[in-house]
Amino acid sequence: MAVPESLSPAQARRVALAAQGFADPAPGGPPTRRHLRRVLDRIGLLQMDSVNVLQRAHYLPLYSRLGPYPTALLDTAAYRQPRDLVEYWGHEASLIPVELHPSLRWRMAGAHTDAWGGMRRIAVEQPALVARVLDEVRANGPLTAAEIEHDAPRETGNWGWNWSAVKRACEFLFWAGELTVATRNTSFARVYDVPERVLPPEVLAAPTPAAPDAYRRLVGIAARALGVAAEPELRDYFRLPVTAARVAVAELVEAGELVPVEVRGWRLPAYLHRDARLPRWIRASTLVSPFDPLIWERARTERLFGFSYRIEIYVPAPQRVYGYYVLPFLLDDRFVARVDLKADRRAGVLQVPAAWAEPGTDPARTAPALAAELHRLAGWLGLGAVAPPLRGDLAGPLGTALAGTLAVP
């Protein structure tokens, strides 16, 4: 597109949604690995999270862009050879393209100073244990931490994780790049192995880029994935150091990859990726995960969509406003509703504890579109029914729409 000097908020929304893949055509048949790669080329990485009240977080961004797809596609890409993805710390715990691994070696090199406290302490206080764990995995891997040692002392971390000393050693080695993840077991625990048995030989042999070169590459990926963004969001995408990210942004502006642009109503300077598209419209109707890169940076989400969003998983139940696991509903280029969802796998029902309309939206249009999407989601999850919503200002219209909407096969 011709580079504008300024963008309206509506134009910025369409640029952002197109960059994230929401303007791409839907698959003409069953989604394939080619479609998966197209989405990954758009968004750059997938965030992982252990919460499984609805579906594991890394599966949902592909659903939002492709519709119902076989999750085995992603499992194969991540955990079978030749793999397209590997686990590492990207945004948070993430699946990243394997070819990006060398560009994150600066983070691996900083494990002794930048890893979380429990990991750093185990490396300082029990280096012999860390070395023994590495030797054990090298000799007998792939292994979970529990398979290495069953009765090691445990400590509760900041998030309530009850980690043994062996688990902390494994996680330190994972941060440092000396271990990687071969697969996940049925309990979603990491199964560790050494990189030479997991990563492609060409990735292992690739030279380590200088840190400034790696920062520029990562900021460039973030900029392409976001379309238009302010500097904090470009930095946040891969959780980069502040000064290094600012230098990388300036260098990409000088190189012409990023173009400064004014977005009306934004206080922060904005940057448009030179390959960004501005479609005339967006035709979307899909739920979006709380861990979707479209809404990672909540301030940007509010500037783009006028949508104030906070994940309430870690909020005490009496203080929650909307619910435990709330997904925004994207209709065309706006978030028009949000729904609290839970997969009751035993009963085969998608539970809807709450449904809320966004201010200024039309429930007469929103409710039928959301009902159709909930049936589609339930079908993808293997659930046979959608329960009526229990509370929220959209509960009545949505309940009526669900009753009149046929389930999608």
Side-chain angles (χ1 to χ4, degrees):
M1 76 185 212
V3 178
E5 293 184 359
S6 66
L7 294 171
S8 69
Q11 288 174 322
R13 276 197 305 276
R14 297 201 302 274
V15 167
L17 287 164
Q20 283 279 306
F22 289 96
D24 291 344
T32 66
R33 197 155 174 170
R34 177 176 62 85
H35 296 104
L36 182 148
R37 287 179 180 137
R38 184 187 73 188
V39 173
L40 292 171
D41 286 344
R42 290 281 189 209
I43 65 178
L45 73 166
L46 296 166
Q47 185 178 348
M48 307 187 78
D49 191 83
S50 60
V51 174
N52 196 26
V53 67
L54 181 69
Q55 174 62 291
R56 298 286 185 194
H58 57 293
Y59 293 118
L60 284 165
L62 293 165
Y63 168 83
S64 297
R65 291 155 178 82
L66 298 176
Y69 74 99
T71 55
L73 274 180
L74 182 54
D75 295 336
T76 299
Y79 301 117
R80 300 289 182 272
Q81 301 293 3
R83 65 182 72 209
D84 296 327
L85 301 164
V86 69
E87 289 194 32
Y88 191 60
W89 294 103
H91 180 71
E92 291 284 345
S94 302
L95 284 167
I96 65 167
V98 288
E99 63 271 16
L100 203 57
H101 190 269
S103 293
L104 288 162
R105 288 176 188 160
W106 59 269
R107 179 165 284 156
M108 300 170 196
H112 281 279
T113 55
D114 299 333
W116 296 334
M119 300 181 203
R120 296 199 309 272
R121 283 198 306 276
I122 203 75
V124 171
E125 297 171 3
Q126 300 187 57
L129 172 64
V130 174
R132 181 177 70 78
V133 167
L134 180 58
D135 289 343
E136 177 78 8
V137 176
R138 184 176 286 120
N140 301 307
L143 296 169
T144 64
E147 290 171 322
I148 300 171
E149 186 173 338
H150 296 280
D151 55 357
R154 310 181 85 82
E155 73 170 26
T156 300
N158 292 337
W159 294 100
W161 294 326
N162 194 23
W163 280 5
S164 70
V166 166
K167 174 62 174 176
R168 285 183 282 136
C170 287
E171 285 298 305
F172 174 80
L173 290 164
F174 173 63
W175 190 296
E178 295 184 72
L179 291 182
T180 189
V181 177
T183 189
R184 294 270 183 160
N185 68 9
T186 55
S187 301
F188 202 58
R190 283 174 169 152
V191 181
Y192 302 94
D193 208 345
V194 289
E196 53 265 31
R197 289 200 291 257
V198 173
L199 295 173
E202 61 273 19
V203 172
L204 290 168
T208 299
D213 295 334
Y215 297 141
R216 276 196 303 275
R217 185 180 184 194
L218 296 171
V219 170
I221 291 169
R224 187 172 183 272
L226 293 171
V228 61
E231 180 273 325
E233 296 116 41
L234 296 171
R235 168 172 27 103
D236 178 72
Y237 212 78
F238 284 96
R239 299 292 167 88
L240 302 178
V242 174
T243 301
R246 287 176 178 166
V247 170
V249 168
E251 291 172 342
L252 290 171
V253 169
E254 185 176 357
E257 186 171 342
L258 294 184
V259 181
V261 64
E262 177 191 0
V263 179
R264 294 193 286 279
W266 288 23
R267 294 181 179 180
L268 294 173
Y271 301 92
L272 183 72
H273 193 272
R274 66 184 174 198
D275 297 331
R277 296 184 298 142
L278 175 55
R280 294 179 63 185
W281 53 72
I282 301 288
R283 296 287 183 255
S285 183
T286 191
L287 288 158
V288 174
S289 161
F291 300 98
D292 194 289
L294 177 66
I295 58 172
W296 275 342
E297 221 293 332
R298 307 307 194 204
R300 178 175 183 265
T301 301
E302 188 155 2
R303 291 199 313 273
L304 278 172
F305 298 99
F307 184 77
S308 179
Y309 182 64
R310 178 189 185 193
I311 190 167
E312 297 183 282
I313 291 172
Y314 308 111
V315 175
Q319 298 175 28
R320 291 180 195 137
V321 177
Y322 296 107
Y324 179 78
Y325 200 78
V326 175
L327 281 73
F329 178 51
L330 180 69
L331 186 59
D332 297 334
D333 69 343
R334 300 303 298 262
F335 289 119
V336 297
R338 61 185 90 197
V339 280
D340 187 18
L341 297 178
K342 178 180 180 180
D344 186 341
R345 297 174 179 89
R346 180 172 296 181
V349 174
L350 179 61
Q351 300 286 351
V352 188
W356 309 87
E358 287 303 293
T361 59
D362 179 7
R365 179 170 184 247
T366 298
L370 180 53
E373 168 61 5
L374 289 171
H375 279 303
R376 184 177 78 142
L377 176 65
W380 179 59
L381 295 174
L383 306 173
V386 181
L390 299 180
R391 69 186 186 100
D393 58 8
L394 192 59
L398 180 58
T400 300
L402 285 167
T405 305
L406 294 176
V408 177

